[in-house]
Amino acid sequence: MKTYIMGSLKLATGILLPFILLIFLIACQTPCYAQIKGNISGKVVDTEGAPIEYVSVGLLYEDGKMVKGALSDSTGKFTFSAVPDGKYLVKVSGVSYHPLTTQTFIISIENRILDLGLLKLKEDSKSLNAVVISAQKKLIEQTIDKTVINIENSILSEGNTALELLEKAPGVRVGEDGQISLKGRSGVLVMINGKSTYLSPKELSTLLKGTNSSSISKIEIMSNPSAKYDAAGNGGIINIQMKKNMKTGLNGSVTLNGGASRNARYGSALGLNYRNDKVNIYGSYDYAYRGETEYLDFVRRFYDTGNIGGIPSRASYQDTETDEPLHTNNFRLGLDYELDSSNTIGLLINGNVGKYTHDSKTGNRLISGDGTIISRMATTNYDQQSWKNLTYNVNYLHKFKKEGRTFSADADFASNSFTSKLNLKTTILQSADGQTETTTNRRGYVPAVTDVYLVKVDYSDPLTKTIKLESGLKSSIIQSDNNLRYDILNNGNWEYDNNGSNHFKYKEQIHAAYFNINKEFKGFSVQAGLRGEYTRTQGHQITTDSLLTRSYFQLFPSVFINKPIGSNHQVQAAYSRRIERPDYGDLNPFRVFRDPLLFYQGNPFLKPELINTFQLSHSFKGKYTTAINYNQTTDVITWLSGQIDSLNTTFESPQNLSRLINYGISFTASTTFFDWWNGTHFANIFRNEYKGNVQNNTFNNNTTSFSFNSQNSIKAGKGYTMELSGLYYSGSVYGISTYKGSYAISTGVQKTILKDKGNIKLMVNDIFQSYRYKEQTKYQNIDMYTNKRPDSRRVMLSLSYRFGNQDLSKKDRKTGSEDIQNRIKGGG
């Protein structure tokens, strides 16, 4: 244990100290005019002390004449620099709040630096109803530390799943099997309502496919989170925030949608809420059916020499058509009860229940180098999957008498069950005279159960006007039981397959503590944090009676330095250290067959990967953000392809590569071309460099990639709004593989009806059906090409209606264990 601690401290200090010193020197280079002119700062909060972002702050002369204006940032802070001597006042105004004007103050030689402290805005109850109807957030909001996509406002979100929404998010790319990357970095931690789900990537993909857009409020993207968040997620954090009605009285909404891609899609959703001064009761339910058909072409070439070169001795041509009907049910029931003005308790139940069918038909031709057909096979894979995810949460919030000091606690239990029943039938067809047709049958049954227990507490305290402390503790325990059974049909009888079956149990404990200190200096602020996590894992392969146990302790420092320059510019430098642990699906060594010539197999000897990430960003007027990032990952967990030439068989298994270096620059712009046309545009240029040892040979695989995303909203008048979006990804690399580029263009229109209480939306996704997954791998004896054509073009029509009281009320509060659901659902 001591060795782990000292090693972590040495690594963190060696990397972090020079970076802090450099940034500190840069940040302290305040322009010389600041020494002869004043600096005014403050923070805008509501009556409960919560920061209010992006409200208008004006600096006025004593007579009311405007000097300059600014917007509060994502933490409610604002700064006016280079203010000449004189008498001034500050006026703060925001939609749905009463305006606030300070008393007159003086900037003079004796009072150059002035902190106005907390400026509290009171809600304007008379304007709240109008706000709900006429004012809405932008589709995409960009701040210096995160990107927020307001799904509720999007026409193009209708009828989509959560995974399909992520495909349109700026900087996010979803791979063919649901792997999620951010700015070219894989290992993204996906959270739901601020909580990890503890699911493997494949299981998370299934869960997100089963989550309908009608239940999602917004998506938050953070490429460099602080020590307050779990250290997991080398690629950053994506937080999916579910809807929670915060209006007073009895109210609700209902939504119906329907449409088609290659198959039909339809769904419905109902949300109800009742709130008074003491109690908030809320619930929602949505159902969705998603029919989908996709096509896959898979080509493999084999060489007698054992390495790529010359003419292949034989080639395998495989084409697959897969029908994937999906039924999902999501429900949410919660209660918040305010015991008094200082104490609130809450209960919450979340549920996701669904079933999914993978029904594929595959044809395979094995052809010799001279064009002779060696063999032909026809395979059907029918896999019925079902799952039930239930999460129970109890939460408590205490507000101390001191303004801004809070204590919160959460306890969660998540029960996750997953079942897969598959039948794999392969027929070797007659390809030449004298050959006979033969058939093999394999069936599988995979019951998997994963239970998660979590407790966490958080404490926040503004020690002074310029210093804020955050700290917390968190413990989670995961227990997973995955029992894979294969049977083979032999002479009309099903016989147990000892070689293919496997029973695997996995236990994981993570105990964490963190603290953050935020200090405001003259002209800049610093947030420094440190998170410590102790991890203990145990993988027990019962079939072979092998046990592998690991335990380790790691420290994860983070530093953020913010410097406003005038009222229009803000610069931030950030550093953090993070970890990506292998999940139990990666560690489980059992084989899962897609067809007789392709299987997937875990690796129980995987090590966690560690990343050091640096970012320097600049924001101009809160509308234009430029970010430069550099990230270095060691022991990179990467799924690599292998090949058994003698059996014409391909397999995929996770391995640790030596390192991945990722660096690039991104630019985000929020534009208002006209009063009726606004948009958000994201461009990213990055380079990935993989280095490692595969099959006892070193390799380097690198390329420079480019991505672009544009979201536009156009007000057409008379209640009509249009949206137009486009995305493009150039070629990229992953491990030993190379991916081709793709693009998609989508559009939609919305019309408000029924006195602005309802709306009709029509959307068309991927108009030209141009979104593809094309992968090529050429390494040693591996030469293969994949072309996957997903069911991406779809047309959806929806109708939604709001009823009851529409007045807003108190602020929402997140519970504490939704960090857990991302690595849980049992896997097959």
Side-chain angles (χ1 to χ4, degrees), residues 409-608:
D410 287 85
D412 290 75
F413 169 68
S415 173
N416 303 269
S417 62
F418 175 87
T419 301
S420 171
K421 299 178 180 179
L422 64 91
N423 284 275
L424 189 65
K425 178 181 178 180
T426 301
T427 301
I428 300 177
L429 303 172
Q430 182 179 349
S431 57
D433 293 337
Q435 292 182 341
T436 58
E437 185 174 292
T438 60
T439 299
T440 60
N441 285 273
R442 175 191 293 268
R443 72 181 183 186
Y445 178 61
V446 189
V449 177
T450 303
D451 292 330
V452 178
Y453 306 84
L454 180 142
V455 177
K456 64 173 290 192
V457 294
D458 295 283
Y459 175 74
S460 178
D461 188 1
L463 302 177
T464 68
K465 289 185 177 180
T466 60
I467 301 177
K468 181 180 180 180
L469 169 68
E470 294 178 315
S471 61
L473 301 171
K474 179 179 179 180
S475 289
S476 64
I477 299 175
I478 302 173
Q479 297 177 344
S480 176
D481 189 340
N482 191 307
N483 190 0
L484 170 64
R485 176 190 174 100
Y486 276 128
D487 296 319
I488 298 176
L489 187 63
N490 188 10
N491 296 323
N493 298 313
W494 288 105
E495 297 179 355
Y496 181 71
D497 181 7
N498 288 296
N499 295 324
S501 301
N502 185 72
H503 190 184
F504 183 72
K505 287 188 174 183
Y506 177 77
K507 296 181 181 179
E508 177 185 275
Q509 297 182 39
I510 301 177
H511 305 287
Y514 79 90
F515 72 88
N516 275 326
I517 295 181
N518 194 312
K519 167 65 176 174
E520 295 183 22
F521 295 91
K522 297 178 181 179
F524 69 98
S525 64
V526 176
Q527 177 179 291
L530 182 65
R531 186 180 187 93
E533 293 190 351
Y534 169 75
T535 304
R536 178 180 173 83
T537 63
Q538 182 183 88
H540 186 192
Q541 192 175 353
I542 297 175
T543 306
T544 59
D545 195 25
S546 62
L547 184 68
L548 182 63
T549 301
R550 282 182 176 166
S551 61
Y552 49 90
F553 178 81
Q554 295 279 358
L555 293 174
F556 303 97
S558 63
V559 175
F560 300 83
I561 300 176
N562 286 281
K563 180 173 177 58
I565 304 175
S567 58
N568 292 329
H569 299 270
Q570 185 176 354
V571 177
Q572 182 189 79
Y575 163 80
S576 65
R577 184 173 188 252
R578 304 187 65 77
I579 189 173
E580 182 70 10
R581 302 175 181 89
D583 60 71
Y584 58 86
D586 294 332
L587 297 169
N588 193 344
F590 71 82
R591 292 182 176 182
V592 176
F593 288 86
R594 194 180 78 182
D595 58 61
L597 302 179
L598 177 63
F599 65 86
Y600 306 94
Q601 184 172 13
N603 178 2
F605 302 103
L606 284 176
K607 296 181 292 184

